Amino acid sequence: MSRAEVLASVDIVALRLNPAGALDLLLIRRARAPFADRWALPGVLVNGRCADPSLDAAAERALHDKARLRPQHLEQVATVGNARRDPRGWSLSTFYLALVAPATTLEDEDLRFVALDEVLHGRLALPFDHAELVAQAHERLAGKAVYSSLPLHLLAPRFTVTEALAAFQACLGQAVQHTTLRGRLERMKSAGWILDTGERQQPRMGRPQRVLEQRPGAGGVYLFDRSVLS
Amino acid sequence: MSRAEVLASVDIVALRLNPAGALDLLLIRRARAPFADRWALPGVLVNGRCADPSLDAAAERALHDKARLRPQHLEQVATVGNARRDPRGWSLSTFYLALVAPATTLEDEDLRFVALDEVLHGRLALPFDHAELVAQAHERLAGKAVYSSLPLHLLAPRFTVTEALAAFQACLGQAVQHTTLRGRLERMKSAGWILDTGERQQPRMGRPQRVLEQRPGAGGVYLFDRSVLS
DNA sequence: ATAATAGTGTCTGTGAGACATTATGTA
DNA sequence: TACATAATGTCTCACAGACACTATTAT
């Protein structure tokens, strides 16, 4: 087949909403060169030898094999390719945005969560062009948070309005009127995407909060017909 | 570098708005196997030997080298990869949506435009999984037409409201209230994205139409804060 | 009682949707 | 004059935005 081939990988930008209401990024300590022992995005090489039925399956494999995680949402963001991003030569990376449950914990010593902001603001450097991939994945998330229910995939199946508010604010990077969010959740309830489980949950103080339940429909995200934030 | 590599290509879904108000798809007659002499999407292989500075540059090269075209808009849609799409084995294709000017004509005998609908409805078969790529690219276009000015890139720099209406309707596949579109164009005018050239243009019959001029700003597309079509 | 948190109600502004009406040209 | 097409005006509705107000718990 000659040498009409190229080095290709799938990399995962996996995010978790931590109890403080900020986003965490999953990193893995690289086992092999280049950049051995450096913390980087989890990923796998794709090629004919691995029996990945599709690129999306390769992304799931990357997250499952490397971190034993199954994301609540997984979507392809884009593919970058050039001669500079990998010291081994011209290479491609198709990278995915993954949202994992807030209770997610890691077993392995070679896995950790770091504050997403540390990477976005350049205070934590990543090998290859991984910081750029993280930035693009975050941009996708922030963009969709404006007009879709995507941030709900950062929550457990049963959640409260307060938690949903934290998810949206973490994705958007700014405050959201709770009345606006309540209106949107109400519309999702009418559409059958959210159920009101009659149960209540008691915060440390104050009035008890209703417990809602997600029932994602086709496509995984509910699309609102207007943008939040003017 | 061992055999950790894979066959990768860039394919282009180039669309043109024809005078009848429908979308045309650019096809090229394949010179080489597999599928030699079949009509397919224009594309190029990407690998270290070609000095493409980036994947986007490879996409521009594909369109320029194969069809001598420079698109008015070019955006990456997605990457597909599996073992079935190419008879040569596991392969990747990163495909782009390109919008070309309505006056675009083709010199080469090995290039032609076909009705996009023929491909979308399966009446015209394409080799590889190209029909699927076309469907995804069209879906992207239709999706963005709901909340952005993207369809304007199917028009000449100087255009009329009627032409803009045709572009939106072709992308969305359904009628759009002209008053809605006028309102959106008016808002773009206020934002400096569209100028009113004072000139008029006379249709075969009826009142003369104003000639507008595009001044695309950063990002290429103007984003509306609400969706058209409820 | 006080603080904290959850949830509701009210008012405004924007812009899409639908449709009627007016304007300006050709045949 | 008849007709075709462009452009404007009017009214309604949905929903975000802002903020006040009420409700329900813990300490």
Side-chain angles (χ1 to χ4, degrees):
Chain A
M1 192 184 297
S2 83
R3 273 293 318 291
E5 305 194 330
V6 70
L7 197 67
S9 66
V10 162
D11 295 303
I12 311 291
V13 178
L15 302 180
R16 176 189 69 172
L17 183 67
N18 66 32
L23 292 175
D24 289 338
L25 170 68
L26 176 68
L27 295 182
I28 186 171
R29 198 199 312 263
R30 288 181 60 83
R32 281 172 259 176
F35 300 112
D37 288 331
R38 291 278 304 274
W39 291 94
L41 295 182
V44 293
L45 290 178
V46 291
N47 57 64
R49 289 175 311 177
C50 302
D52 294 312
S54 71
L55 207 52
D56 291 359
E60 284 189 46
R61 173 170 69 91
L63 204 49
H64 189 255
D65 288 6
K66 303 263 178 173
R68 298 282 160 206
L69 288 184
R70 291 214 176 278
Q72 305 197 126
H73 176 83
L74 184 65
E75 89 178 54
Q76 190 186 106
V77 177
T79 299
V80 293
N82 60 57
R84 305 171 308 281
R85 55 181 307 280
D86 191 309
R88 288 168 287 186
W90 219 100
S91 74
L92 286 171
S93 168
T94 300
F95 59 104
Y96 283 73
L97 169 66
L99 305 182
V100 303
T104 301
T105 54
L106 304 171
E107 313 282 310
D108 201 315
E109 274 291 307
D110 292 331
L111 295 170
R112 65 190 269 226
F113 279 109
V114 301
L116 173 62
D117 279 345
E118 293 291 304
V119 174
L120 291 181
H121 296 145
R123 292 191 293 268
L124 176 59
L126 296 182
F128 304 102
D129 54 358
H130 283 187
E132 172 60 23
L133 307 192
V134 170
Q136 279 190 48
H138 174 255
E139 201 174 330
R140 168 74 62 93
L141 175 59
K144 284 202 171 182
V146 170
Y147 65 90
S148 83
S149 67
L150 182 53
L152 296 186
H153 284 123
L154 285 165
L155 304 179
R158 298 163 71 84
F159 67 100
T160 65
V161 174
T162 304
E163 290 167 342
L165 202 54
F168 274 86
Q169 292 180 157
C171 293
L172 292 166
Q174 64 184 279
V176 173
Q177 290 274 337
H178 73 105
T179 47
T180 299
L181 180 61
R182 284 177 198 277
R184 292 191 158 198
L185 293 175
E186 202 58 42
R187 237 157 293 125
M188 289 181 71
K189 206 184 290 180
S190 304
W193 286 59
I194 286 181
L195 296 178
D196 194 336
T197 70
E199 294 175 42
R200 303 296 162 106
Q201 181 176 306
Q202 187 58 44
R204 290 201 320 269
M205 275 197 76
R207 178 169 169 174
Q209 46 201 185
R210 296 178 178 221
V211 176
L212 305 177
E213 186 169 347
Q214 306 195 45
R215 285 291 168 89
V221 291
Y222 186 86
L223 297 178
F224 305 107
D225 70 335
R226 216 179 285 190
S227 298
V228 77
L229 307 177
S230 91
Chain B
M1 193 183 297
S2 82
R3 272 294 317 291
E5 305 195 329
V6 70
L7 197 66
S9 67
V10 162
D11 294 304
I12 312 290
V13 178
L15 302 180
R16 177 190 69 173
L17 183 67
N18 66 31
L23 292 175
D24 290 338
L25 170 68
L26 176 68
L27 296 181
I28 186 171
R29 198 200 312 262
R30 288 180 59 84
R32 280 171 261 178
F35 300 112
D37 288 331
R38 291 278 304 274
W39 292 93
L41 295 182
V44 293
L45 291 177
V46 290
N47 55 64
R49 290 176 311 175
C50 303
D52 294 312
S54 71
L55 207 52
D56 290 359
E60 284 190 46
R61 173 169 71 90
L63 204 48
H64 189 255
D65 288 5
K66 303 263 178 173
R68 299 282 159 206
L69 288 184
R70 291 214 175 278
Q72 306 197 127
H73 176 83
L74 184 64
E75 92 179 50
Q76 190 187 105
V77 177
T79 299
V80 293
N82 60 57
R84 305 171 309 281
R85 55 180 307 277
D86 191 310
R88 288 168 287 187
W90 219 98
S91 74
L92 286 171
S93 168
T94 300
F95 59 104
Y96 283 73
L97 168 66
L99 305 182
V100 303
T104 301
T105 54
L106 304 170
E107 314 281 311
D108 201 317
E109 274 291 307
D110 292 332
L111 295 169
R112 65 189 267 226
F113 279 109
V114 302
L116 174 62
D117 279 345
E118 293 292 304
V119 175
L120 291 181
H121 296 145
R123 291 191 294 267
L124 176 59
L126 296 182
F128 304 102
D129 54 358
H130 284 186
E132 173 60 24
L133 307 192
V134 170
Q136 279 191 48
H138 174 255
E139 201 174 330
R140 167 73 62 94
L141 176 59
K144 285 203 171 182
V146 170
Y147 65 90
S148 82
S149 67
L150 182 53
L152 296 186
H153 284 123
L154 285 164
L155 303 178
R158 298 164 70 85
F159 67 100
T160 66
V161 173
T162 305
E163 290 166 342
L165 202 55
F168 274 87
Q169 291 179 159
C171 294
L172 291 166
Q174 65 184 279
V176 173
Q177 290 274 337
H178 72 105
T179 47
T180 298
L181 180 61
R182 285 176 197 276
R184 292 190 158 199
L185 294 176
E186 202 59 42
R187 235 156 293 122
M188 290 181 71
K189 207 185 289 180
S190 305
W193 286 58
I194 286 181
L195 295 178
D196 192 335
T197 70
E199 292 176 43
R200 304 295 163 105
Q201 181 176 307
Q202 187 58 43
R204 289 201 321 269
M205 277 196 74
R207 178 169 169 173
Q209 45 200 187
R210 294 177 179 228
V211 177
L212 305 177
E213 186 170 346
Q214 306 195 46
R215 285 291 167 88
V221 292
Y222 186 87
L223 297 178
F224 304 107
D225 70 336
R226 216 179 285 191
S227 298
V228 76
L229 306 177
S230 89

